[in-house]
């Protein structure tokens, strides 16, 4: 049915940022061994929303993000981003992506790293935009530093600034703070919340941290494993801006308890 629709539809204001219809993804491991990484994934993400994909390791979070980004093709189902195929969004340079592995160029400075998307898009480097991004992620004064001279948290700030360089329609983050210590991670969670509020960019973030999802997201898509699928969704009705106080609030505690219960339930169990 979905195949009868043209993949490319003119952008309209009321269409969702992302629509996923019955996505399935299988990986062939040879000798007829097949892993079902995702099955029956249907979801809609609205413009300007911050959505967290939360679930245990192996539930297909990264695979789903890669499908949304066009880096991976679903085996079945349809993914539309801003009404177009994800590939279209990539070729239009309207997608920002940051992974846990920051992949900065080691020999390039902070400013040069942030400017990479301009080069890739063969556009003139907008120096004012680069400076603005340096300031946005709190790295003013470090423009000429090289990645080796920065802490892990600072490198992730550079990666986030770089992903925002071309003012993307969509920001995709795969555990961007996964390799950081808890204190730095928490600080960057607050930073990212501020950046998201300032830019209004639609954001999908993969995480396996309940606290991180609650501090950042409007809505949490809880995933389960074997096979990877959506278990349920939780609306995060915590007021913004979320602060250290939010972490200690009764509502935060209730939501965290609920999410932990859902995640527990989503783990495969020996008992029946
Ligand atoms: N390129 C691949 N080839 C084979 N199996 C893969 C590949 N990518 C992911 N998988 C499998 O798909 C499942 C989901 O993986 P992934 O999306 O990385 O999960 P998550 O990010 O939630 O930890 C896992 O069983 C993983 O081993
Ligand atoms: Mg992953």
């Amino acid at each position: 049915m979905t195949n009868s629709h043209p993949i490319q539809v003119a952008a309209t204001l009321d269409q969702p940022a992302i629509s996923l219809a019955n996505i399935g993804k299988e990986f062939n491991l040879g000798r007829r061994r097949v892993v079902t990484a995702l099955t029956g994934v249907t979801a809609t993400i609205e413009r300007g929303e911050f959505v967290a994909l939360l679930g245990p390791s192996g539930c297909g979070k990264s695979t789903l993000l890669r499908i949304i980004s066009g880096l991976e093709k679903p085996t079945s189902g349809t993914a539309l981003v801003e009404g177009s195929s994800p590939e279209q969004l990539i070729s239009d340079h309207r997608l920002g992506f940051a992974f846990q592995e920051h992949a900065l160029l080691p020999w390039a400075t902070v400013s040069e790293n942030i400017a990479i998307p301009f080069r890739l898009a063969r556009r003139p480097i907008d120096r004012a935009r680069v400076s603005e991004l340096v300031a946005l992620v709190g790295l003013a004064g470090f423009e000429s530093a090289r990645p080796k001279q920065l802490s892990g948290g600072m490198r992730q700030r550079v990666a986030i600034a770089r992903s925002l360089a071309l003012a993307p329609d969509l920001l995709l983050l795969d555990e961007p703070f996964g390799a950081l210590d808890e204190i730095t991670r928490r600080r960057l969670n607050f930073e990212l919340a501020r950046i998201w509020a300032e830019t209004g960019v639609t954001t999908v973030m993969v995480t396996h941290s309940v606290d991180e999802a609650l501090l950042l997201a409007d809505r949490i898509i809880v995933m389960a494993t074997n096979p990877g699928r959506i278990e349920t969704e939780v609306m995060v009705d915590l007021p913004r801006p979320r602060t250290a106080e939010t972490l200690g609030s009764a509502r935060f505690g209730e939501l965290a308890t609920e999410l932990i219960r859902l995640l527990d339930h989503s783990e495969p169990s020996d008992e029946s």
Side-chain angles (χ1 to χ4, degrees), residues 6-261:
I7 287 293
Q8 220 168 325
V9 184
T12 59
L13 280 174
D14 52 356
Q15 89 199 344
I18 301 173
S19 75
L20 305 172
N22 208 13
I23 301 267
K25 178 68 184 179
E26 295 183 345
F27 290 106
N28 284 307
L29 301 182
R31 290 179 185 248
R32 296 193 191 168
R33 278 200 57 215
V34 170
V35 175
T36 304
L38 291 170
T39 185
V41 171
T42 296
T44 301
I45 293 171
E46 301 300 334
R47 291 233 174 103
E49 226 187 344
F50 193 125
V51 170
L53 301 179
L54 177 71
S57 145
C59 69
K61 303 181 295 297
S62 295
T63 302
L64 187 56
L65 206 70
R66 290 171 64 80
I67 288 172
I68 296 170
S69 74
L71 292 170
E72 197 94 67
K73 279 202 185 311
T75 311
S76 55
T78 317
L80 287 180
V81 183
E82 298 284 340
S84 311
S85 69
E87 290 81 359
Q88 186 65 44
L89 211 71
I90 292 184
S91 64
D92 293 347
H93 304 285
R94 286 157 62 203
L95 187 83
F97 212 138
F99 304 90
Q100 178 174 335
E101 300 304 330
H102 55 77
L104 301 180
L105 295 180
W107 60 84
T109 65
V110 165
S111 290
E112 286 163 355
N113 267 291
I114 294 173
I116 288 170
F118 288 100
R119 294 193 188 280
L120 293 178
R122 297 174 193 282
R123 293 185 196 170
I125 294 173
D126 181 343
R127 302 275 168 206
R129 171 80 183 154
V130 172
S131 304
E132 190 183 295
L133 286 164
V134 167
L136 181 72
V137 300
L139 286 176
F142 292 90
E143 290 83 353
S144 304
R146 316 229 172 227
K148 215 168 51 183
Q149 300 168 294
L150 305 175
S151 68
M154 291 163 94
R155 281 184 222 143
Q156 282 312 98
R157 288 167 193 262
V158 178
I160 287 175
R162 183 181 56 186
S163 68
L164 291 169
L166 301 179
D169 290 350
L170 179 61
L171 182 61
L172 301 176
L173 305 169
D174 193 347
E175 308 211 31
F177 311 131
L180 303 177
D181 65 83
E182 207 180 314
I183 297 165
T184 308
R185 180 180 191 149
R186 177 87 16 107
R187 190 177 300 143
L188 284 187
N189 284 165
F190 292 128
E191 286 280 305
L192 179 60
R194 178 184 59 76
I195 290 166
W196 171 77
E198 281 180 30
T199 59
V201 64
T202 309
T203 304
V204 183
M205 177 188 206
V206 165
T207 182
H208 55 244
S209 160
V210 166
D211 284 10
E212 184 164 85
L214 283 174
L215 279 180
L216 285 158
D218 295 315
R219 185 156 57 103
I220 300 174
I221 294 180
V222 181
M223 296 180 65
T225 192
N226 286 327
R229 62 193 187 278
I230 293 180
E231 174 85 9
T232 188
E233 281 186 8
V234 173
M235 296 300 299
V236 184
D237 53 5
L238 295 165
R240 293 185 188 270
R242 297 179 190 155
T243 62
E245 268 169 42
T246 311
L247 283 160
S249 70
R251 185 63 187 142
F252 188 96
E254 282 167 20
L255 286 167
T257 306
E258 168 74 356
L259 286 166
I260 289 162
R261 191 185 63 74

Side-chain angles (χ1 to χ4, degrees), residues 4 91 108 114 171 265 267 272:
S4 66
S91 64
I114 294 173
L171 182 61
H265 180 66
E267 291 278 16
S272 48

